Amino acid sequence: MMMNANRLVVVSKCVQSCKRLLACNVRHAGKKIQQVQQQRLFRTHCRQLAYAKDLFLGSLNKDEVFPYPEIGKEELDEINQLVAPVEKFFSEEVDSAKIDREAKIPEETLKGLKELGLFGLMVPEEYGGLGLSNTMYARLAEITSLDGSIAVTLAAHQAIGLKGILIAGTEAQKQKYLPKLASGEHIAAFCLTEPGSGSDAASIQTRATLSEDGKHYLINGSKIWISNGGMADIMTVFARTEVVVDGVKEDKISAFIVERAFGGITSGKPEDKLGIRGSNTCEVSFDNVPVPVENVIGEVGGGFKIAMNILNSGRFSMGSSSAGMIKKLITMTSEYAATRKQFNKSLSEFGLIQEKFAVMSLNAFIMESMAYLTAGMMDRPGLPDCSLEAAMVKVFSSERAWICVSEALQVLGGLGYTKNYPYERYLRDCRILPIFEGTNEVLRMYIALTGMQYAGKITTWKINEIKKGNVGLAISMLVKRMMNKFSSSVDLGLTGKDGVVHPSMTESAKMLELNVTHFGWTVETLLYRFGKTIVDEQIALKRVADVLINLYAMTAVLSRASRSITIGLKNNDHEILLTNTFCSEAFFKNNYMIHQLQTHTPGNSDANIKKIAAEVLQDRSYICAHPLEGIY
Amino acid sequence: MKSARCLLHLQCLRLLDRSARSAAQCAPLLQSSSSSQPSVLHKNQHQLLRQFHSSPAWSKSQPTPADDHKKDKSLVTNDDLFEQVAKDVKVKATFNKVVDVFLNRDVRRRGHVEFIYAALKKMPEFGVERDLTVYNKLLDVFPKEVFVPRNAVQRMFNHYPRQQECGVQLLEQMEEYGVMPNVETKVLLVQIFGKKAHPVRKYQRMMYWMPKFKHVNPFPVPVQLPEDPVDVARFGLARIANDLDAKVNVYQLPCTDITETGEEITIPHVVGIQSPSQMELLAKHNPNRPVFVEGPFPLWLRQTCVHYYVLRADPPEEKVEEPYDPERSLYYPLQLDVDFGRDLGDEENFDVEDLDEGPVFAMCMTGRGDQATLNQWISGLQENNPMLGQVPTLFRVNAGPQELSASADAESGQAHRPDTKTRSGEKLQRDGEPGVIVEEEPQRRQGRNQ
């Protein structure tokens, strides 16, 4: 009996050590390859680590996002000094209702904006700008967003219009153009979209041909929906050029700095829009516009990368601007809710009204947290690639902004629907947010596919390794899966001894950890299931993006609230409350979506959705018989 | 609702009948109770009155005299009735008139079964074969109450089988023409045959299935096809193409001219259809590989058969995949750089429609299937498809459609014949034997159209 038991113990020990050995081996190999992969992946980027991408592997790179980024006292003073006059200007001198009514920003308002330096926020000081960091830019965007038209005009000018010169221009180009752009003497525009080309760069028709003397390019074509198109003096124009690659002539896109003074540029009638009516959007046509060769931004044929970089870099500020808008709306509507009485009770005593305010402040809090976390990450030394994070901020805040503005309007009921109050204008203005700077649909694809690509490299390696006969890896993966299936809690290091999250939010942190682990596992499953055809599984990818956005939002609020409570900011208990509320809500949503991502689960009605759409689209109309119809 | 109420009335009437009260007594009662149900019940009332005159007992116990019987029952008489009354115009009104004449001729309605059979046969001639009111009127010819079984034995056996059969036959014809009975039909059937008789059962089955099948065809063909052959061609082509983007082009309108010498020249219609995606396919077609004009293929639109021709090519030898352009999408990658494809469990690629039969570039219908006419079509197509000028066009055309449709029209029972003929011709041609029917003439379109 004793003997037997002993033997059993020995055997089990042996097995365990074997397992450990194998696992060790595997982990080691895995790490190595991961390093190799990362090196290969990030050769173009300076930063070695990426938070959002790592979530796709189920790992939580806490050093990236904890502690929450801070700015020093001097910077804080500086930004406060900047903010005060701008805030004053917007509350006293900007008549948003008039701008909206007349669909034009008055000259004196524009002049005021220029005097405040708002046209050159990100331009370095040596070129006459304010040289603000991303964080400070985000802070100012909170205020400029109080008027949608002005915000869009400014964004079109500096977030995309002059960004090309800023990030890829030569010193001479910068010297020549930036000072006047920074002062607002010249206004910039970004000309990419064409009648036949939205996201599809291959269908860009505008063409730049080299003149015979080789000194000029002649640009021909037309661009649509150009913000500031009617008043811009300097434009970043993307056009096809003929480039010789390896002896073969190819059409590639190049970016040009085009001055209106070059001649041959005509702008169409401003578009009559739903919202942001004061901003100038129109068609711009180019008819044999001569552009000197030295006005090419970057290399000839390198326009695609420049366009992508400009678009990717401009998005992060939408979080803070939406938050700014919602904060203002909360102040306005809570005033009304507190004074308006029904049944001898003020509106603020009704649960359904209270819920609206909770939703608004929760969302404002999350947007703020995400926006400043991203801005802080972008401000780190080197040129970190935060395009994934920025895209998440954009998608989240643009959608939540619409919900919040709509709720704010609802608090006022019929009054909110009239033009006597600004709510309908805010509602119209913020409808553009999910559309421009990349529609939320394409951004969701970007978010999901970028991560999938990252995770796919590692999965490919694993599969190849197993094919080669690495049994250890296979077993370790199997064991990991089993553990995943049966464990209800995981430790990714957010709490506990080396924890970064304040103990008051331990539960929320645990939820995040659990979600991250399951998410990584789900991504792996999806990759195994669909392989490279995952690009066609858009409904699944949308869920992947949504889970990731929630995870990032959870991280941001956890990080921010932990900092607040640790350093003792005012009302930090309220932040904790908001954080815990959001985290538990997001946790269940994530679980549901992750569940839907599994094969053939009851909650997953993707096949039905596709079928419904196919049947409707085939007839191009609603196909059900009218309920009043019968067969007689 | 209506029917239920009617049935109720009916039962009450039957009770009255049984108690053998006089008709005069019950008429006012009926009048008051049926004021809310004008059409159906008024009819009931009349029938009822009439029915009291000829009670079932009477008709059963006293068989009609033989000579009378013969005269009335013969089919010829009833056919004659139709011919007599509706000498010139055969329309609904005259048909109704015939029925009325029959009704007024003999209060006992002797020979009604034969009359109904004859009327059913005549219906298409009068163009009322799809008219529900006419069917109801015909049903109304049956005497009411007489054939309703009254005891268990009658119910058990086939009570008045000829009459029931006749009623079923009437319903059958309705079904054949897709006419759905209504409540009035039901009331009549119940009045005539009783609630569980065969015709009522037939009615119930029809009401179960016919509504279910009414819209089951996602591509319905209208009952009345347009008269104009161009419109028929338009409809037929749109039906085969089943593409909302496809555009129908009339390349040539039909017309008849008389030349100076007195010869009659008919120009056939040429109607074609092509969708933008087909144009795209054609533009991408390898000019060294010929395109074929093939046909005629039959298309049945209810009773009419039309023929169409297709412009197609052989399946491409190898599928050319467009190289992935990483600088295509401004916002997200269109392709993942991952080594593996779909897992077996999620492989849903099999598609019965995805067959390598080669692309079809356009289709047409024409009044005459000779090559000259089809050339009209091809040169018309060339306006929007310049590629056709560079591609050799081969005509693989079988016997013209006139002959085929003539045979098809002559006997609809042999509808499949033209089809098999076409097929065999095709097969011959595929084998490389230049058969008699096959007319193959490679030519450079470019040269012709200059």
Short mmCIF file of all heavy atoms in Angstrom, two decimals, chain A residues 416-448:
data_model
loop_
_atom_site.label_atom_id
_atom_site.label_comp_id
_atom_site.label_asym_id
_atom_site.label_seq_id
_atom_site.Cartn_x
_atom_site.Cartn_y
_atom_site.Cartn_z
N GLY A 416 -35.87 71.27 -26.49
CA GLY A 416 -34.58 70.93 -27.09
C GLY A 416 -34.67 70.81 -28.59
O GLY A 416 -33.68 70.99 -29.30
N TYR A 417 -35.86 70.54 -29.06
CA TYR A 417 -36.04 70.31 -30.50
C TYR A 417 -36.15 71.62 -31.27
O TYR A 417 -36.09 71.63 -32.48
CB TYR A 417 -37.30 69.46 -30.69
CG TYR A 417 -37.40 68.78 -32.01
CD1 TYR A 417 -36.49 67.79 -32.37
CD2 TYR A 417 -38.39 69.11 -32.92
CE1 TYR A 417 -36.57 67.16 -33.59
CE2 TYR A 417 -38.49 68.48 -34.14
CZ TYR A 417 -37.58 67.51 -34.47
OH TYR A 417 -37.65 66.89 -35.67
N THR A 418 -36.34 72.70 -30.54
CA THR A 418 -36.51 73.99 -31.24
C THR A 418 -35.16 74.66 -31.46
O THR A 418 -34.17 74.33 -30.81
CB THR A 418 -37.37 74.94 -30.40
OG1 THR A 418 -36.69 75.18 -29.16
CG2 THR A 418 -38.74 74.36 -30.13
N LYS A 419 -35.21 75.66 -32.34
CA LYS A 419 -33.97 76.38 -32.62
C LYS A 419 -33.66 77.42 -31.56
O LYS A 419 -32.65 78.10 -31.63
CB LYS A 419 -34.07 77.05 -33.99
CG LYS A 419 -34.02 76.06 -35.13
CD LYS A 419 -33.10 76.51 -36.25
CE LYS A 419 -32.99 75.40 -37.28
NZ LYS A 419 -31.86 75.52 -38.16
N ASN A 420 -34.58 77.58 -30.59
CA ASN A 420 -34.32 78.56 -29.53
C ASN A 420 -33.18 78.09 -28.63
O ASN A 420 -32.60 78.88 -27.91
CB ASN A 420 -35.57 78.76 -28.67
CG ASN A 420 -36.75 79.19 -29.52
OD1 ASN A 420 -36.54 79.75 -30.60
ND2 ASN A 420 -37.95 78.93 -29.06
N TYR A 421 -32.93 76.83 -28.63
CA TYR A 421 -31.90 76.28 -27.77
C TYR A 421 -30.80 75.68 -28.65
O TYR A 421 -31.07 75.29 -29.80
CB TYR A 421 -32.46 75.20 -26.85
CG TYR A 421 -33.34 75.79 -25.76
CD1 TYR A 421 -34.66 76.08 -26.00
CD2 TYR A 421 -32.80 76.04 -24.50
CE1 TYR A 421 -35.45 76.63 -25.00
CE2 TYR A 421 -33.59 76.58 -23.50
CZ TYR A 421 -34.91 76.88 -23.76
OH TYR A 421 -35.68 77.42 -22.77
N PRO A 422 -29.59 75.62 -28.13
CA PRO A 422 -28.49 75.17 -29.00
C PRO A 422 -28.41 73.65 -29.18
O PRO A 422 -27.59 73.18 -29.94
CB PRO A 422 -27.24 75.67 -28.26
CG PRO A 422 -27.64 75.71 -26.84
CD PRO A 422 -29.10 76.04 -26.82
N TYR A 423 -29.31 72.91 -28.52
CA TYR A 423 -29.11 71.45 -28.51
C TYR A 423 -29.25 70.84 -29.90
O TYR A 423 -28.50 69.95 -30.28
CB TYR A 423 -30.09 70.79 -27.54
CG TYR A 423 -29.94 71.32 -26.15
CD1 TYR A 423 -30.79 72.29 -25.67
CD2 TYR A 423 -28.89 70.89 -25.34
CE1 TYR A 423 -30.63 72.81 -24.40
CE2 TYR A 423 -28.72 71.40 -24.08
CZ TYR A 423 -29.59 72.36 -23.61
OH TYR A 423 -29.41 72.88 -22.36
N GLU A 424 -30.23 71.32 -30.65
CA GLU A 424 -30.42 70.74 -31.98
C GLU A 424 -29.17 71.02 -32.84
O GLU A 424 -28.78 70.21 -33.65
CB GLU A 424 -31.70 71.24 -32.64
CG GLU A 424 -31.83 72.74 -32.79
CD GLU A 424 -31.26 73.26 -34.09
OE1 GLU A 424 -31.24 72.50 -35.07
OE2 GLU A 424 -30.81 74.42 -34.11
N ARG A 425 -28.55 72.17 -32.61
CA ARG A 425 -27.34 72.48 -33.39
C ARG A 425 -26.20 71.52 -33.00
O ARG A 425 -25.52 70.98 -33.86
CB ARG A 425 -26.92 73.92 -33.15
CG ARG A 425 -25.88 74.37 -34.14
CD ARG A 425 -25.32 75.73 -33.80
NE ARG A 425 -24.48 75.69 -32.62
CZ ARG A 425 -24.67 76.44 -31.54
NH1 ARG A 425 -25.67 77.26 -31.48
NH2 ARG A 425 -23.85 76.33 -30.51
N TYR A 426 -26.07 71.30 -31.69
CA TYR A 426 -25.03 70.36 -31.25
C TYR A 426 -25.29 68.98 -31.86
O TYR A 426 -24.38 68.28 -32.29
CB TYR A 426 -25.01 70.26 -29.73
CG TYR A 426 -24.20 71.34 -29.06
CD1 TYR A 426 -24.80 72.32 -28.28
CD2 TYR A 426 -22.82 71.39 -29.24
CE1 TYR A 426 -24.06 73.32 -27.68
CE2 TYR A 426 -22.07 72.39 -28.63
CZ TYR A 426 -22.69 73.34 -27.86
OH TYR A 426 -21.95 74.31 -27.27
N LEU A 427 -26.54 68.62 -31.86
CA LEU A 427 -26.89 67.29 -32.38
C LEU A 427 -26.52 67.19 -33.85
O LEU A 427 -25.91 66.22 -34.30
CB LEU A 427 -28.39 67.05 -32.21
CG LEU A 427 -28.81 65.60 -32.41
CD1 LEU A 427 -28.48 64.79 -31.18
CD2 LEU A 427 -30.30 65.49 -32.70
N ARG A 428 -26.86 68.24 -34.60
CA ARG A 428 -26.53 68.21 -36.04
C ARG A 428 -25.02 68.23 -36.23
O ARG A 428 -24.48 67.51 -37.05
CB ARG A 428 -27.16 69.41 -36.74
CG ARG A 428 -28.65 69.25 -36.98
CD ARG A 428 -29.19 70.38 -37.81
NE ARG A 428 -29.36 71.62 -37.08
CZ ARG A 428 -28.69 72.75 -37.34
NH1 ARG A 428 -27.82 72.77 -38.33
NH2 ARG A 428 -28.89 73.84 -36.63
N ASP A 429 -24.37 69.09 -35.44
CA ASP A 429 -22.92 69.22 -35.60
C ASP A 429 -22.21 67.90 -35.32
O ASP A 429 -21.31 67.50 -36.05
CB ASP A 429 -22.37 70.29 -34.66
CG ASP A 429 -22.66 71.69 -35.17
OD1 ASP A 429 -23.19 71.79 -36.30
OD2 ASP A 429 -22.38 72.67 -34.46
N CYS A 430 -22.63 67.22 -34.26
CA CYS A 430 -21.83 66.06 -33.87
C CYS A 430 -22.16 64.83 -34.72
O CYS A 430 -21.51 63.81 -34.61
CB CYS A 430 -21.95 65.77 -32.38
SG CYS A 430 -23.35 64.82 -31.93
N ARG A 431 -23.14 64.97 -35.60
CA ARG A 431 -23.41 63.82 -36.48
C ARG A 431 -22.27 63.58 -37.47
O ARG A 431 -22.13 62.48 -38.01
CB ARG A 431 -24.73 64.06 -37.25
CG ARG A 431 -25.22 62.85 -38.00
CD ARG A 431 -25.45 61.71 -37.03
NE ARG A 431 -25.77 60.46 -37.72
CZ ARG A 431 -24.89 59.64 -38.23
NH1 ARG A 431 -23.60 59.91 -38.13
NH2 ARG A 431 -25.26 58.53 -38.83
N ILE A 432 -21.46 64.60 -37.68
CA ILE A 432 -20.36 64.43 -38.63
C ILE A 432 -19.25 63.56 -38.02
O ILE A 432 -18.49 62.91 -38.74
CB ILE A 432 -19.79 65.81 -39.05
CG1 ILE A 432 -18.79 65.68 -40.21
CG2 ILE A 432 -19.09 66.51 -37.91
CD1 ILE A 432 -19.36 65.18 -41.48
N LEU A 433 -19.19 63.52 -36.69
CA LEU A 433 -18.05 62.86 -36.05
C LEU A 433 -17.86 61.40 -36.49
O LEU A 433 -16.75 60.99 -36.78
CB LEU A 433 -18.17 62.94 -34.53
CG LEU A 433 -18.16 64.36 -33.94
CD1 LEU A 433 -18.28 64.30 -32.44
CD2 LEU A 433 -16.90 65.09 -34.33
N PRO A 434 -18.93 60.59 -36.55
CA PRO A 434 -18.70 59.21 -36.99
C PRO A 434 -18.39 59.10 -38.48
O PRO A 434 -18.07 58.04 -38.96
CB PRO A 434 -20.03 58.50 -36.69
CG PRO A 434 -20.78 59.40 -35.80
CD PRO A 434 -20.33 60.78 -36.11
N ILE A 435 -18.50 60.23 -39.21
CA ILE A 435 -18.32 60.14 -40.66
C ILE A 435 -16.94 60.58 -41.11
O ILE A 435 -16.28 59.88 -41.88
CB ILE A 435 -19.40 61.00 -41.38
CG1 ILE A 435 -20.80 60.49 -41.03
CG2 ILE A 435 -19.19 60.96 -42.88
CD1 ILE A 435 -21.91 61.37 -41.51
N PHE A 436 -16.50 61.72 -40.63
CA PHE A 436 -15.25 62.21 -41.25
C PHE A 436 -13.99 61.65 -40.57
O PHE A 436 -14.07 60.90 -39.61
CB PHE A 436 -15.24 63.74 -41.38
CG PHE A 436 -15.10 64.53 -40.11
CD1 PHE A 436 -14.99 65.92 -40.18
CD2 PHE A 436 -15.05 63.94 -38.87
CE1 PHE A 436 -14.84 66.68 -39.04
CE2 PHE A 436 -14.91 64.69 -37.73
CZ PHE A 436 -14.81 66.07 -37.82
N GLU A 437 -12.87 62.00 -41.12
CA GLU A 437 -11.57 61.46 -40.67
C GLU A 437 -11.57 59.94 -40.66
O GLU A 437 -11.04 59.31 -39.75
CB GLU A 437 -11.23 61.99 -39.28
CG GLU A 437 -11.15 63.51 -39.27
CD GLU A 437 -10.09 64.01 -38.33
OE1 GLU A 437 -9.15 63.26 -38.06
OE2 GLU A 437 -10.20 65.15 -37.90
N GLY A 438 -12.18 59.35 -41.62
CA GLY A 438 -12.29 57.89 -41.65
C GLY A 438 -13.59 57.51 -40.98
O GLY A 438 -13.76 57.79 -39.79
N THR A 439 -14.53 56.94 -41.70
CA THR A 439 -15.79 56.57 -41.07
C THR A 439 -15.51 55.52 -40.00
O THR A 439 -14.50 54.82 -40.05
CB THR A 439 -16.78 55.98 -42.08
OG1 THR A 439 -16.20 54.80 -42.61
CG2 THR A 439 -17.08 56.94 -43.20
N ASN A 440 -16.42 55.44 -39.04
CA ASN A 440 -16.20 54.49 -37.96
C ASN A 440 -16.12 53.06 -38.47
O ASN A 440 -15.48 52.22 -37.87
CB ASN A 440 -17.31 54.63 -36.94
CG ASN A 440 -17.11 55.85 -36.07
OD1 ASN A 440 -16.20 56.64 -36.32
ND2 ASN A 440 -17.92 56.00 -35.05
N GLU A 441 -16.78 52.79 -39.58
CA GLU A 441 -16.74 51.44 -40.13
C GLU A 441 -15.32 51.08 -40.58
O GLU A 441 -14.79 50.04 -40.21
CB GLU A 441 -17.70 51.31 -41.30
CG GLU A 441 -19.16 51.21 -40.91
CD GLU A 441 -19.74 52.50 -40.37
OE1 GLU A 441 -19.25 53.59 -40.75
OE2 GLU A 441 -20.67 52.43 -39.56
N VAL A 442 -14.71 51.96 -41.37
CA VAL A 442 -13.36 51.62 -41.83
C VAL A 442 -12.39 51.64 -40.67
O VAL A 442 -11.44 50.84 -40.63
CB VAL A 442 -12.86 52.54 -42.97
CG1 VAL A 442 -13.68 52.37 -44.21
CG2 VAL A 442 -12.76 53.97 -42.57
N LEU A 443 -12.63 52.51 -39.70
CA LEU A 443 -11.70 52.54 -38.57
C LEU A 443 -11.82 51.27 -37.74
O LEU A 443 -10.82 50.76 -37.24
CB LEU A 443 -11.96 53.76 -37.69
CG LEU A 443 -11.51 55.08 -38.32
CD1 LEU A 443 -11.75 56.23 -37.37
CD2 LEU A 443 -10.04 55.02 -38.70
N ARG A 444 -13.02 50.73 -37.62
CA ARG A 444 -13.18 49.47 -36.90
C ARG A 444 -12.39 48.38 -37.61
O ARG A 444 -11.75 47.55 -36.98
CB ARG A 444 -14.64 49.08 -36.82
CG ARG A 444 -15.38 49.82 -35.75
CD ARG A 444 -16.55 48.99 -35.25
NE ARG A 444 -17.03 49.53 -34.00
CZ ARG A 444 -17.93 50.51 -33.92
NH1 ARG A 444 -18.43 51.03 -35.01
NH2 ARG A 444 -18.31 50.96 -32.74
N MET A 445 -12.47 48.39 -38.94
CA MET A 445 -11.69 47.40 -39.69
C MET A 445 -10.21 47.61 -39.43
O MET A 445 -9.45 46.65 -39.27
CB MET A 445 -11.96 47.54 -41.19
CG MET A 445 -13.33 47.10 -41.63
SD MET A 445 -13.64 45.40 -41.21
CE MET A 445 -14.85 45.61 -39.94
N TYR A 446 -9.82 48.87 -39.41
CA TYR A 446 -8.40 49.16 -39.18
C TYR A 446 -7.97 48.64 -37.82
O TYR A 446 -6.95 47.97 -37.68
CB TYR A 446 -8.17 50.67 -39.27
CG TYR A 446 -6.80 51.11 -38.85
CD1 TYR A 446 -5.70 50.83 -39.66
CD2 TYR A 446 -6.59 51.77 -37.65
CE1 TYR A 446 -4.43 51.22 -39.27
CE2 TYR A 446 -5.34 52.17 -37.25
CZ TYR A 446 -4.25 51.89 -38.07
OH TYR A 446 -3.00 52.25 -37.68
N ILE A 447 -8.79 48.95 -36.81
CA ILE A 447 -8.45 48.54 -35.44
C ILE A 447 -8.32 47.01 -35.38
O ILE A 447 -7.32 46.46 -34.91
CB ILE A 447 -9.54 49.01 -34.45
CG1 ILE A 447 -9.54 50.53 -34.36
CG2 ILE A 447 -9.33 48.38 -33.09
CD1 ILE A 447 -10.78 51.09 -33.71
N ALA A 448 -9.34 46.32 -35.88
CA ALA A 448 -9.35 44.87 -35.74
C ALA A 448 -8.25 44.23 -36.59
O ALA A 448 -7.54 43.34 -36.12
CB ALA A 448 -10.72 44.33 -36.14
#
